[in-house]
Amino acid sequence: MKLLATILLIMITAPFSFAQNGQISGIIHENQTTAVPYVTVTLKGNTEAPVAAGISDNKGIFRLENIPEGHYTISYHLIGFQTITRPVQVKPDEVIHLGTIILEPDTKLLQEVSVTAQRSSVSLKLDKKVFEVGKDVLSQSGAVTDLLNIVPSVSVSPGGTISLRGNSSVLVLVDGRRTGLTQSNALEQLPADQVERVEVITNPSSRFDAAGSAGIINIILKKNKKAGFSGQLRLVGGIPNETRISPSLNYKSNKINLFATYGIRLSDYVGLYTMQQSTGLSGTPVYLNQRQDEDRHDDARLLYLGADFKINDHNTITTAFMRNSTNDHDKTQLNYLYSGKKGIIDSSLSRKGESWEKRSYNQLEFNYTRTFEKPGKKFTVDMQYDFWDSDKDWNLSTAKILPSAMNLPMIRTGSFGKSKDLMIKTDMIQPLDSTSTLEFGLKMEDRRVNSDFIAQQENPGGWEIIDQIDNHLLYKELIGSAYIQFSGKRGAFSYQAGLRGELTHIGIEDRTGSYTNQKDYNRLFPTLNLSYHFNATTNLQASYSKRINRPRLGMLYPFNELTDLSTRYVGNPDLNPSYANVFEIAFLKNWKTLTFNPSLYYQRNSGVIEDYTFRDAKGLFITMPVNINRETRTGFELSLLYNPFKWLQANAELNVFHYKEQGSYQHQNFDYSASTFTARVSSQLKLKNKLSFQAVYNFRGPNATAQTRAAAVHGIDFGGSKTFLKDKATLTLDVSNLFGLRKFNSRTIGSDYEINQTSIPNAARYRLTLVYRFNQKDNQSVRQAKSGNRD
């Protein structure tokens, strides 16, 4: 036994009794706060051949492993910066943390070198797909919503709804945070050339909110890196009228960074909507031809200002204020022609509407960041307070034209809403060793929304309430969440596993007690991301996540506008969230001139939110969102980037998916299955003297539900740009919806009715954009609004 115990002791202690190789790690900055990615780190001994080499990641962190004992020199190299070389000694079993290395700009090289290498336009990270967008012609003009329409997998509807792989249940972030810029189409206020990259996260890790069953779109804005004063002035003129003026200023020193942006937008939109409605098809049919002409005018102001204050090398505070205010004035005219079976016009009506809406979204933000001597270790606290209000009034005048002329009573509606949102969260990143990291955090959100709505009709005795539509709604939401996740790397294999818990309490009540309701949702949301790097250009990734899709406020409000005589959309206070389990496998291969990126995905949703259309007792068609049982979606996505010459680049994207819905609501069966696809082709031509052209063709195939069939949609966007005055100015001419091709046709079928609709919400738009920069390069920009609370 004594001998056996001795042998066991030797076997247990043997792995630790021999000298182990050392490790070196550090973080690379160009100043005290700005990390530098893609820096080549080389370790050499007495010979020219390197002992080890590596590249810093997006956070500037590098690690060199399995280094034998000895004396070495370590060097840091990146084009545009001075190469730094320093001695370092490695001892057995030693883990060396070199701290923060500051790179100095190589001013001579920057003046002499005019062409430098660029990062790949697409890269596959452990939990996301990253698209570099700053070099596209169409990203130099228009707004962020225009830019998103050229990002693979992403599309934006004319109404501003952002979808990912054809699914609108997507969470949009700016710099990793919820933002007021996603409220009320405010992304239209943010210039596209302020975006550095877009991260498409179809299976987010647990550090992100679980909201958005389709995933997350994270918009990363450019950061100013130049000391002293810098800024730019952006001027836009367009037809139909689109006038934008956006000055931005930035001041940066060693201790403080001040930033301010102000934007003015004056825009006109012309829309045309037609509908053919057939009712009573089993008996005496009645036909309605309806035409709606829309003239919308938006005035908007965006102000964002704040400061970063560096207390010392490891502690930084950021405070900021954002205000986005709009003043909209819309006019609409609707004409109704009713006829019988033989097409003889029975009656005709005309309705004119005019509305005024004022909205104000305000946001206060605070961030505290602490870094440590250990590279990669970081602690953050974020606090955010949002408060907004909106006030909208409609005046509607209706006249009967046939069979006899008659003015009908005037109608007016008024709605007022306000909200107060508070968010507090804290996150901790704790590296455990050179290859593994633990992250955890807490978050609390409290939201309270008040909404009033009234509808009145002018009668001889004065204004009277219509159908008792005079109510007040209070919506309360409290979400508490916590997460923990572990990530690590073994050779070419990387992994990340996490778990997020969210406790949600929702309360809905109104003045009359019609909609009083309280609900609690307590769920766990696991995530798993796996990645294998075959080499520097080839990567395979697999991922899983569970997600939640909470109804938007507009889906819950039971109040509705009375603009249209024949159709109406109402919210559903009884609506519940839906849940999704999402699986995906993705592959990325970069050759010298070609990037190949296919993906396979499967999504199973429960409690799916679907629109339900029915006809009420008065003959009015009502559309409202309801929950149905489930939906499964299986798809294949392929992205190709071909760059055969420096002056030519072509992109192609294809997304083919099959979906199957099951469920019922009242007397409507929602069982339905079909296949469809989306496609996008883009090409960019870069000529001499910094003259560029780009064209994008988008196609969305037909899709359907049990009630509604939507026809295919396609459109073309085109742009050209010229940079001059030593890169200080860029002039861009672009056209969105060239030739007016973008039309939306749908057909809704019921037991005794049929509705065919055509929507052209926006005509072709021509824009001329001038951007003038001072004290900054073409690829730099000032800071913009970045954080917010709720969507």
Side-chain angles (χ1 to χ4, degrees):
M1 287 293 295
K2 187 175 181 179
L3 178 61
L4 180 60
T6 303
I7 294 173
L8 287 173
L9 181 64
I10 293 174
M11 292 177 64
I12 294 172
T13 58
F16 303 98
S17 61
F18 298 99
Q20 302 292 303
N21 289 340
Q23 301 176 0
I24 299 176
S25 64
I27 183 169
I28 304 174
H29 280 193
E30 64 175 282
N31 51 48
Q32 295 296 332
T33 59
T34 305
V36 182
Y38 309 108
V39 178
T40 301
V41 183
T42 306
L43 188 71
K44 291 184 178 182
N46 297 325
T47 63
E48 285 298 318
V51 176
I55 297 176
S56 62
D57 63 16
N58 287 332
K59 299 177 182 178
I61 299 173
F62 71 89
R63 295 185 179 92
L64 304 179
E65 303 172 349
N66 198 29
I67 303 170
E69 178 185 5
H71 294 269
Y72 302 96
T73 59
I74 188 170
S75 62
Y76 313 92
H77 176 73
L78 180 66
I79 293 177
F81 293 89
Q82 299 178 22
T83 299
I84 297 177
T85 302
R86 294 175 180 171
V88 62
Q89 182 181 0
V90 178
K91 298 179 181 179
D93 296 317
E94 185 178 15
V95 178
I96 302 173
H97 299 294
L98 297 178
T100 302
I101 298 94
I102 305 296
L103 295 184
E104 296 292 334
D106 191 334
T107 55
K108 181 178 179 181
L109 183 62
L110 286 176
Q111 293 172 358
E112 293 177 353
V113 177
S114 58
V115 179
T116 59
Q118 296 181 20
R119 281 180 280 180
S120 173
S121 295
V122 57
S123 57
L124 201 60
K125 305 299 183 183
L126 182 59
D127 59 350
K128 60 193 172 188
K129 190 184 297 184
V130 181
F131 299 94
E132 306 291 338
V133 296
K135 298 302 179 181
D136 296 293
V137 173
L138 294 178
S139 68
Q140 305 301 313
S141 61
V144 171
T145 48
D146 301 305
L147 172 63
L148 290 177
N149 253 329
I150 64 174
V151 172
S153 308
V154 182
S155 61
V156 184
S157 74
T161 301
I162 299 173
S163 298
L164 179 58
R165 289 175 173 169
N167 189 341
S168 61
S169 174
V170 60
L171 176 63
V172 180
L173 306 177
V174 176
D175 285 339
R177 295 177 173 89
R178 294 179 186 265
T179 169
L181 289 171
T182 61
Q183 292 277 349
S184 303
N185 295 335
L187 283 175
E188 282 281 352
Q189 280 287 84
L190 189 61
D193 63 354
Q194 302 296 339
V195 178
E196 178 178 296
R197 66 183 184 273
V198 176
E199 298 175 346
V200 176
I201 313 173
T202 52
N203 261 338
S205 65
S206 61
R207 78 165 68 92
F208 293 102
D209 291 344
S213 60
I216 292 174
I217 298 172
N218 187 23
I219 301 166
I220 305 298
L221 303 178
K222 297 174 182 176
K223 306 296 187 296
N224 186 63
K225 302 176 182 179
K226 197 171 182 67
F229 279 103
S230 61
Q232 72 174 33
L233 175 64
R234 178 186 176 86
L235 304 173
V236 179
I239 302 173
N241 174 50
E242 182 166 3
T243 303
R244 298 174 187 254
I245 304 173
S246 303
S248 302
L249 290 173
N250 198 99
Y251 174 75
K252 188 176 180 65
S253 66
N254 290 332
K255 284 287 185 181
I256 195 168
N257 178 36
L258 304 174
F259 47 89
T261 298
Y262 183 70
I264 299 175
R265 175 173 62 90
L266 310 175
S267 301
D268 291 333
Y269 303 89
V270 178
L272 173 62
Y273 308 85
T274 61
M275 181 178 66
Q276 293 78 44
Q277 186 183 104
S278 306
T279 57
L281 298 179
S282 59
T284 304
V286 176
Y287 301 99
L288 166 63
N289 283 334
Q290 177 181 321
R291 176 188 173 106
Q292 178 179 355
D293 291 279
E294 194 174 55
D295 183 5
R296 311 188 306 274
H297 177 75
D298 297 348
D299 291 352
R301 306 288 188 274
L302 174 68
L303 172 67
Y304 185 77
L305 52 89
D308 301 312
F309 179 68
K310 179 187 172 187
I311 302 173
N312 52 44
D313 289 347
H314 294 292
N315 295 275
T316 304
I317 289 175
T318 297
T319 59
F321 170 73
M322 185 192 78
R323 178 181 175 85
N324 181 36
S325 59
T326 60
N327 191 348
D328 302 341
H329 183 197
D330 300 344
K331 295 180 180 179
T332 184
Q333 179 165 340
L334 298 99
N335 294 308
Y336 303 84
L337 289 176
Y338 295 90
S339 60
K341 187 173 184 180
K342 297 181 179 181
I344 300 174
I345 296 177
D346 176 69
S347 60
S348 175
L349 292 172
S350 176
R351 167 169 281 187
K352 293 182 179 180
E354 190 168 6
S355 71
W356 299 263
E357 182 176 14
K358 292 183 179 180
R359 290 170 295 186
S360 173
Y361 189 101
N362 305 276
Q363 174 182 294
L364 293 167
E365 64 175 277
F366 171 85
N367 170 266
Y368 167 71
T369 299
R370 172 171 173 76
T371 59
F372 301 83
E373 291 294 337
K374 188 174 184 179
K377 184 177 181 180
K378 185 169 70 170
F379 173 73
T380 60
V381 176
D382 287 277
M383 290 186 289
Q384 191 172 288
Y385 178 64
D386 301 346
F387 53 100
W388 59 262
D389 59 77
S390 65
D391 190 353
K392 185 173 184 178
D393 296 308
W394 267 104
N395 284 346
L396 301 167
S397 61
T398 309
K400 181 180 288 188
I401 300 173
L402 293 174
S404 59
M406 178 190 303
N407 289 326
L408 300 179
M410 285 282 297
I411 293 176
R412 67 184 185 187
T413 63
S415 60
F416 177 79
K418 61 180 180 179
S419 172
K420 296 180 179 180
D421 309 343
L422 175 65
M423 183 277 292
I424 302 174
K425 74 168 186 171
T426 178
D427 298 274
M428 182 71 187
I429 302 176
Q430 176 66 60
L432 302 179
D433 53 37
S434 61
T435 60
S436 60
T437 301
L438 181 68
E439 298 180 48
F440 50 91
L442 298 170
K443 184 176 182 180
M444 184 278 293
E445 299 174 80
D446 182 71
R447 186 182 204 188
R448 295 174 182 268
V449 183
N450 288 273
S451 178
D452 290 278
F453 188 84
I454 187 171
Q456 297 174 300
Q457 179 174 291
E458 187 179 23
N459 293 325
W463 290 95
E464 296 182 1
I465 304 298
I466 302 175
D467 296 334
Q468 298 181 335
I469 303 177
D470 180 13
N471 210 342
H472 171 84
L473 189 76
L474 173 62
Y475 176 86
K476 296 182 292 185
E477 182 180 75
L478 179 64
I479 303 175
S481 59
Y483 78 93
I484 185 169
Q485 77 178 19
F486 177 79
S487 59
K489 182 178 181 181
R490 289 187 177 275
F493 178 70
S494 301
Y495 56 91
Q496 183 182 78
L499 182 66
R500 186 178 189 90
E502 293 191 355
L503 288 74
T504 305
H505 174 76
I506 292 175
I508 302 175
E509 58 185 65
D510 69 335
R511 186 187 302 124
T512 64
S514 304
Y515 309 106
T516 301
N517 199 357
Q518 290 194 8
K519 298 180 181 181
D520 294 284
Y521 310 109
N522 306 320
R523 294 288 191 277
L524 294 176
F525 300 91
T527 64
L528 178 64
N529 299 86
L530 306 173
S531 180
Y532 188 82
H533 292 265
F534 295 94
N535 51 52
T537 61
T538 309
N539 186 20
L540 179 66
Q541 185 183 94
S543 58
Y544 162 77
S545 69
K546 185 174 182 178
R547 313 288 299 162
I548 183 174
N549 176 28
R550 294 186 179 90
R552 299 188 302 273
L553 282 178
M555 294 180 173
L556 298 172
Y557 283 161
F559 313 135
N560 51 83
E561 294 179 345
L562 309 181
T563 312
D564 193 348
L565 286 168
S566 61
T567 62
R568 193 174 298 171
Y569 182 91
V570 300
N572 180 5
D574 292 327
L575 208 59
N576 293 318
S578 65
Y579 298 90
N581 289 281
V582 186
F583 303 83
E584 181 173 357
I585 297 177
F587 178 76
L588 179 68
K589 173 64 178 179
N590 284 305
W591 288 279
K592 186 176 181 180
T593 60
L594 177 66
T595 297
F596 176 67
N597 179 210
S599 302
L600 290 171
Y601 60 92
Y602 172 80
Q603 183 169 327
R604 183 177 179 85
N605 305 300
S606 60
V608 178
I609 299 175
E610 185 66 82
D611 280 345
Y612 167 53
T613 300
F614 64 96
R615 197 177 184 205
D616 68 5
K618 296 181 180 180
L620 185 67
F621 284 95
I622 306 293
T623 299
M624 62 181 290
V626 299
N627 292 108
I628 64 173
N629 193 13
R630 70 174 63 91
E631 180 196 64
T632 57
R633 184 173 294 206
T634 305
F636 169 76
E637 186 176 57
L638 175 63
S639 295
L640 297 172
L641 171 63
Y642 185 50
N643 198 176
F645 311 104
K646 292 182 178 179
W647 49 270
L648 177 62
Q649 178 177 295
N651 294 12
E653 174 198 346
L654 176 66
N655 177 28
V656 182
F657 60 93
H658 175 82
Y659 59 96
K660 181 178 181 180
E661 294 184 344
Q662 291 179 295
S664 62
Y665 183 83
Q666 293 185 357
H667 302 295
Q668 176 64 48
N669 185 354
F670 281 92
D671 290 356
Y672 191 82
S673 64
S675 298
T676 188
F677 72 98
T678 62
R680 178 182 291 132
V681 179
S682 150
S683 64
Q684 183 167 207
L685 191 64
K686 296 183 178 181
L687 305 179
K688 295 181 178 180
N689 301 320
K690 297 194 174 180
L691 179 64
S692 300
F693 297 94
Q694 184 179 15
V696 178
Y697 174 75
N698 281 281
F699 179 85
R700 190 199 71 187
N703 62 86
T705 65
Q707 284 191 295
T708 302
R709 275 74 165 156
V713 179
H714 66 139
I716 299 174
D717 299 321
F718 176 81
S721 71
K722 166 68 176 175
T723 299
F724 54 100
L725 295 180
K726 297 181 179 179
D727 293 345
K728 291 183 178 180
T730 299
L731 187 66
T732 303
L733 174 66
D734 76 292
V735 186
S736 62
N737 193 19
L738 186 63
F739 307 125
L741 299 177
R742 208 165 284 139
K743 299 179 181 180
F744 299 84
N745 297 287
S746 65
R747 182 186 183 194
T748 301
I749 301 174
S751 58
D752 198 32
Y753 67 85
E754 181 177 319
I755 303 173
N756 291 279
Q757 293 175 290
T758 298
S759 301
I760 309 175
N762 294 315
R765 184 174 292 274
Y766 301 81
R767 283 183 298 227
L768 186 64
T769 303
L770 174 65
V771 178
Y772 181 79
R773 313 169 190 86
F774 61 92
N775 200 27
Q776 58 178 318
K777 293 288 185 180
D778 180 49
N779 62 348
Q780 292 178 326
S781 181
V782 295
R783 180 167 174 171
Q784 287 278 356
K786 68 168 186 175
S787 57
N789 193 357
R790 297 306 311 275
D791 58 349

